[in-house]
Amino acid sequence: MERKTRLAPGLTGLADGYRPQPGVPDEMMDASGGIRPVWRGFLRHLAGLSPDDLHRRFARGDQYLRDAGVFFRQYSAEGSDERAWPLSHVPVLIDEAEWQRLGAGLIQRADLLEALMADLYGANRLVAEGVLPAALVAGNPEWLRPMVGIAPRGGHHLHFLAFEVGRGPDGDWWVLGDRAQAPSGAGFALENRVATSRVFSDFYAEAHVHRLAGFFRTFRDALQDLQADPHGRVGILTPGPLNETYYEHAWIARYLGFMLLQGEDLTVDSGQLKVRTVAGPEPVSVLWRRLDGAYADPLELEGGSQLGTPGLVSALRHGSTTLVNNLGSGVLETRAFLAFMPRIARALLGEELRLPNIATWWCGQEAERAHVAANVSRMLISPALSTRQPIEDDLAALAEGRPAPRDPVAWLEREGAGLVGQESVVLSTTPAHIGGALVPRPMSLRVFLARTPSGWQVMPGGFARIGRTPEPRAVAMQHGGAAADVWIVSETPVEAASLIPAQGRQLQAREGALPSRSADNLFWLGRYVERTEGLMRLLRARHVRLAETGDANAPLLAAVAPLFRGQGVDPEEGIPKGLIQTLRSAIASAGQVRDRFSPDGWSSLADLDKTMRRMAERVAPGDDAARALSALLRKITGFSGLVHENMYRVTGWRFLELGRHVERGAGMAAVLATLADPFAPDGGLDLAVEVGDSVMTHRRRFAVTTSRETVVDLLALDAMNPRSILFQLDGIEEQVRLLPGATASPMPDLLRLVLRTRTNLATERAEQLDTQALWALRGAIWEISDLITDSWLR
């Protein structure tokens, strides 16, 4: 008889309404101590699965995340590294009615934060009337004085918010933190949903779980409606690939069809924010900021920032751009503000908070400081103005109630105005599948709200952090925590939402603007991938001959050595470090354009890198290395086929193609100049044909053995051979003519040089194309590359 999934003590029989025993997750229990109805069907389904079936299902979800390239960046003393996304496969289930109550409290809080933001950068009534201490504003590094008095275009400072919430064992929800600076996690929440729905595809299809796509569609439409200029663009501003959540930035940009921009992509001209594209500057009407506000403008804010755009604040003053969220919103995350939120709500909204936040006392006031000192054993004492500490550590500290690492009473007396005390909380637990069983683990939840024309909309789901151990600190992903999907379950069927525009909205089909930086990275991606492949072919040919002769100092091997040294590669190694570094350069370029690069393409490059590094540890020169390089060549040509068969033929693809043609043409010119030289050692011509992947073609075209004329004709002058230099120049001319401004009058220098080089080569005869002419041809191709850079990539 097949075994079924093992439940933790107290979970057996819960689906049938039995009362729980100790060890049951709090999230599954209602106020009376029974199992919440929302969990019963899922538990019955789970209990009916065998361990093998469950293992296969979990593997299916994990495989999706690997194929999609989902990762998070983990930091350590040694630096940072991309880690596989830690999915907790069991979702968190919440009843629709309860979610609506939670959402109503968060919508009120979102309105409160908008009003607070308007006051802090406007009338400043809260400080003037003593509701909020002046020191918490004036001394706050997140309060950006240059933003005072700047009214946001459209009338709102905030458009996208997140709230970290937790539930106590008694079932009550609290707000643990407000996230208004550049909230992350919404994209990861959708990836969690896709992965989890594949794990439980049969149950999910019938479970009346609210879909997430409608939330993203509504917000996308709202951002497009904010555009003042019909020719403007919507962009997402990212700090770059080294940011912890860069994957999400690229993913959302690709999912919603927005440009992913870095600060250097943008410029401000006469108060108008513009993006530098290969077609010239284009206006940016809406910018979704995923960058800390202080670093957004080195001219008026953090002067040392290399991430921002000089003049961005002036563009906001001119009212030409809407920022999501406005600069300075990080001040709303100040930990000490939690102590004053009930009072601020009464002052600004005339209401009591519907959803309380974690009890907080600012220790700059004598009575509050005394209260914290008297109850220090159940308090967390931390910096009052802290906002930059990662939320995972904030939650861990709150949950554990860790005392300050010094005499707390003396610390309070000495630095009270810079400290807050917060009441320790115990997070509720949710089921996680660990060690083959469902066990309770602590949980926190991030909920997202987006502003729409009809008001705030709450994402019907969220992003849950699940502890790997019973210790509350384990909810932090940097400390081993996991992420789980959140299912909002209705009693009736739900809408099958998608990203298709709502009825009445028009689809606008236009080619996306290509930032010059993105074009540059695509150009170099093409070059580095082609360079890697060329080096592989040359190395394989060398190792084949080394295996045949056993003489590493043979004249032919010595003749090709300069071709390797010029690329920083040591041919004496089996899989040279220089070859690995060349591929890493390709991956670095691809990493800069993740929003324009398919997940399959990225996975293919990553797999090639992993395989190459593994081989480098054990492959010896000679026959062993030749076989390994053949395997690597199959992988890299598979990548090239994947990209070039599936990539849409727009401007980005043209720069990728230009990079390939430039590198292949210049590389072949160097090979021919070296191996077809009259003084080259015996076997050089055959090696050149092999490196040019044209052995069979040569046999068909020429019923003779290789000669200098046949090899030069095939690899330099044959316009039908995709490895020939002339073929590359034809490709360069074709792609250049399609680029913006390339065919203007008078004829640009680049097109003139391409035509001259191509015509000169096409009218040459093989016997006239001597070694000197081949090196000159290579120089002309490098000059073409430089002019491409000067014309579009700077």
Side-chain angles (χ1 to χ4, degrees):
M1 183 174 179
E2 192 174 34
R3 294 183 299 123
K4 301 300 182 183
T5 299
R6 182 165 57 91
L7 304 180
L11 291 182
T12 304
L14 290 183
D16 299 319
Y18 296 147
R19 287 192 173 276
Q21 301 171 16
V24 177
D26 304 318
E27 284 297 313
M28 296 170 56
M29 300 170 60
D30 60 22
S32 65
I35 292 299
R36 300 179 192 271
V38 71
W39 280 97
R40 292 174 184 169
F42 179 79
L43 286 175
R44 278 194 294 268
H45 175 75
L46 197 63
L49 301 175
S50 69
D52 288 343
D53 188 17
L54 201 59
H55 176 76
R56 285 191 296 270
R57 289 167 175 261
F58 288 174
R60 191 162 63 214
D62 293 338
Q63 185 63 49
Y64 164 77
L65 294 171
R66 284 194 297 270
D67 291 345
V70 185
F71 71 90
F72 79 103
R73 187 167 294 280
Q74 188 168 43
Y75 299 95
S76 66
E78 291 74 31
S80 65
D81 190 23
E82 294 182 3
R83 296 296 178 90
W85 189 247
L87 179 67
S88 181
H89 303 89
V90 178
V92 176
L93 275 60
I94 299 177
D95 179 75
E96 178 184 44
E98 181 180 5
W99 188 256
Q100 290 175 346
R101 291 191 295 271
L102 176 61
L106 293 178
I107 288 174
Q108 182 207 41
R109 196 171 185 93
D111 287 333
L112 177 60
L113 292 184
E114 174 67 41
L116 176 56
M117 181 80 172
D119 182 75
L120 292 176
Y121 291 99
N124 211 3
R125 181 168 64 89
L126 293 174
V127 172
E129 296 177 0
V131 177
L132 191 61
L136 296 183
V137 179
N140 196 319
E142 293 296 341
W143 183 67
L144 306 181
R145 187 178 295 275
M147 293 299 298
V148 173
I150 300 179
R153 185 167 65 82
H156 296 115
H157 293 272
L158 306 176
H159 301 84
F160 194 83
L161 296 170
F163 297 97
E164 204 76 37
V165 298
R167 194 196 326 235
D170 59 359
D172 291 335
W173 291 99
W174 308 303
V175 173
L176 301 173
D178 304 305
R179 292 293 167 250
Q181 172 82 275
S184 63
F188 289 122
L190 193 48
E191 289 286 41
N192 288 342
R193 171 60 55 87
V194 176
T196 306
S197 64
R198 293 192 179 190
V199 174
F200 300 107
S201 55
D202 45 357
F203 181 83
Y204 178 80
E206 306 295 332
H208 302 166
V209 178
H210 280 275
R211 292 349 189 215
L212 304 182
F215 173 84
F216 288 94
R217 180 194 65 211
T218 302
F219 187 51
R220 178 199 62 191
D221 294 346
L223 293 185
Q224 290 174 337
D225 289 342
L226 289 173
Q227 297 183 82
D229 186 340
H231 302 292
R233 302 279 182 169
V234 179
I236 297 177
L237 180 62
T238 175
L242 295 182
N243 183 262
E244 180 180 6
T245 56
Y246 175 74
Y247 169 83
E248 182 187 51
H249 305 166
W251 187 92
I252 289 180
R254 186 168 57 237
Y255 185 65
L256 299 183
F258 297 152
M259 290 188 298
L260 185 64
L261 304 171
Q262 295 184 30
E264 65 185 275
D265 294 327
L266 298 166
T267 184
V268 177
D269 182 12
S270 300
Q272 172 69 61
L273 184 66
K274 297 182 178 181
V275 56
R276 298 182 179 94
T277 77
V278 295
E282 294 194 16
V284 176
S285 296
V286 180
L287 192 62
W288 187 355
R289 174 175 63 86
R290 306 302 298 269
L291 170 72
D292 284 359
Y295 294 92
D297 185 349
L299 195 62
E300 297 199 50
L301 301 173
E302 177 57 55
S305 172
Q306 298 182 10
L307 302 176
T309 302
L312 181 57
V313 173
S314 71
L316 298 177
R317 286 197 189 96
H318 279 79
S320 63
T321 301
T322 298
L323 216 56
V324 180
N325 290 327
N326 212 6
L327 297 180
S329 56
V331 70
L332 303 177
E333 300 181 5
T334 303
R335 191 167 293 153
F337 280 18
L338 295 175
F340 299 91
M341 280 300 181
R343 192 187 308 175
I344 293 172
R346 290 190 290 269
L348 295 180
L349 303 182
E351 301 172 355
E352 297 294 332
L353 285 176
R354 298 182 187 179
L355 191 65
N357 51 244
I358 184 69
T360 305
W361 294 266
W362 177 53
C363 298
Q365 303 168 110
E366 185 175 349
E368 285 74 7
R369 185 168 61 251
H371 174 80
V372 172
N375 296 276
V376 71
S377 62
R378 59 184 184 89
M379 292 280 179
L380 164 72
I381 302 174
S382 60
L385 301 182
S386 174
T387 61
R388 296 189 180 278
Q389 187 178 4
I391 185 63
E392 294 93 340
D393 288 341
D394 286 349
L395 287 173
L398 283 171
E400 292 179 4
R402 294 197 304 272
R406 62 194 83 183
D407 181 354
V409 176
W411 190 24
L412 288 168
E413 288 297 326
R414 185 173 60 254
E415 302 178 24
L419 301 172
V420 294
Q422 292 181 295
E423 192 173 69
S424 302
V425 298
V426 177
L427 295 174
S428 68
T429 57
T430 193
H433 193 273
I434 298 175
L438 279 186
V439 295
R441 288 293 182 263
M443 177 204 76
S444 70
L445 181 63
R446 179 167 287 197
V447 187
F448 303 92
L449 278 72
R451 185 182 295 281
T452 73
S454 59
W456 290 103
Q457 180 170 323
V458 181
M459 179 192 286
F463 177 91
R465 289 180 172 85
I466 310 297
R468 286 293 188 189
T469 71
E471 293 298 321
R473 183 177 176 80
V475 298
M477 291 177 64
Q478 295 288 337
H479 297 285
D485 190 17
V486 179
W487 290 6
I488 309 306
V489 183
S490 172
E491 294 182 357
T492 58
V494 298
E495 175 191 6
S498 73
L499 279 185
I500 298 175
Q503 187 174 4
R505 294 186 67 91
Q506 296 296 318
L507 284 170
Q508 297 180 352
R510 60 172 178 171
E511 183 176 334
L514 180 65
S516 299
R517 178 189 54 81
S518 297
D520 186 50
N521 280 288
L522 287 166
F523 178 71
W524 278 99
L525 172 61
R527 287 196 58 175
Y528 281 129
V529 169
E530 185 60 39
R531 186 178 300 179
T532 302
E533 182 182 338
L535 284 168
M536 286 180 181
R537 293 186 183 280
L538 196 59
L539 282 164
R540 182 178 65 173
R542 181 190 184 280
H543 284 295
V544 166
R545 284 152 181 80
L546 178 62
E548 291 172 351
T549 65
D551 183 4
N553 298 315
L556 182 57
L557 301 191
V560 299
L563 295 174
F564 295 111
R565 288 197 294 268
Q567 305 289 353
V569 171
D570 181 1
E572 302 294 332
E573 300 173 351
I575 304 295
K577 298 181 182 66
L579 177 66
I580 296 173
Q581 186 55 50
T582 302
L583 179 62
R584 294 299 297 174
S585 297
I587 292 173
S589 294
Q592 292 281 345
V593 288
R594 286 289 287 267
D595 58 315
R596 299 175 182 273
F597 204 61
S598 74
D600 286 339
W602 179 263
S603 296
S604 179
L605 269 185
D607 178 62
L608 177 61
D609 177 61
K610 180 179 179 181
T611 303
M612 188 183 293
R613 289 174 179 272
R614 185 175 65 249
M615 286 181 172
E617 297 175 355
R618 54 183 175 79
V619 168
D623 187 59
D624 194 20
R627 287 197 302 271
L629 286 160
S630 293
L632 294 174
L633 274 167
R634 288 191 292 273
K635 283 182 177 287
I636 199 168
T637 53
F639 163 80
S640 297
L642 175 70
V643 170
H644 297 292
E645 284 296 317
N646 298 331
M647 194 169 178
Y648 198 63
R649 266 45 172 181
V650 289
T651 308
W653 181 82
R654 292 170 194 142
F655 280 100
L656 189 67
E657 281 291 282
L658 282 170
R660 292 179 66 241
H661 286 312
V662 163
E663 193 69 33
R664 183 173 289 187
M668 183 53 67
V671 167
L672 288 176
T674 302
L675 298 176
D677 183 85
F679 300 101
D682 290 342
L685 294 173
D686 290 328
L687 194 151
V689 174
E690 183 180 333
V691 170
D693 197 23
S694 299
V695 174
M696 293 181 63
T697 305
H698 187 278
R699 289 172 182 168
R700 284 198 303 268
R701 284 205 56 201
F702 306 103
V704 294
T705 58
T706 54
S707 68
R708 187 182 190 280
E709 286 71 22
T710 61
V711 171
V712 171
D713 184 79
L714 180 62
L715 297 180
L717 303 176
D718 191 340
M720 302 297 290
N721 183 2
R723 293 283 169 178
S724 76
I725 302 173
L726 184 58
F727 186 94
Q728 312 315 317
L729 289 170
D730 285 343
I732 290 172
E733 180 187 352
E734 178 186 0
Q735 300 306 326
V736 164
R737 285 186 179 277
L738 295 172
L739 294 178
T743 57
S745 181
M747 183 181 292
D749 291 343
L750 172 60
L751 186 55
R752 183 180 294 108
L753 176 60
V754 171
L755 290 174
R756 183 171 63 246
T757 305
R758 191 259 176 214
T759 302
N760 289 343
L761 182 61
T763 55
E764 283 281 14
R765 298 174 61 181
E767 59 268 22
Q768 295 172 332
L769 199 60
D770 59 17
T771 300
Q772 183 178 356
L774 285 166
W775 285 120
L777 180 58
R778 183 173 185 260
I781 295 174
W782 288 149
E783 187 178 353
I784 289 171
S785 177
D786 291 341
L787 285 175
I788 291 172
T789 299
D790 292 340
S791 300
W792 289 287
L793 307 183
R794 294 195 186 279

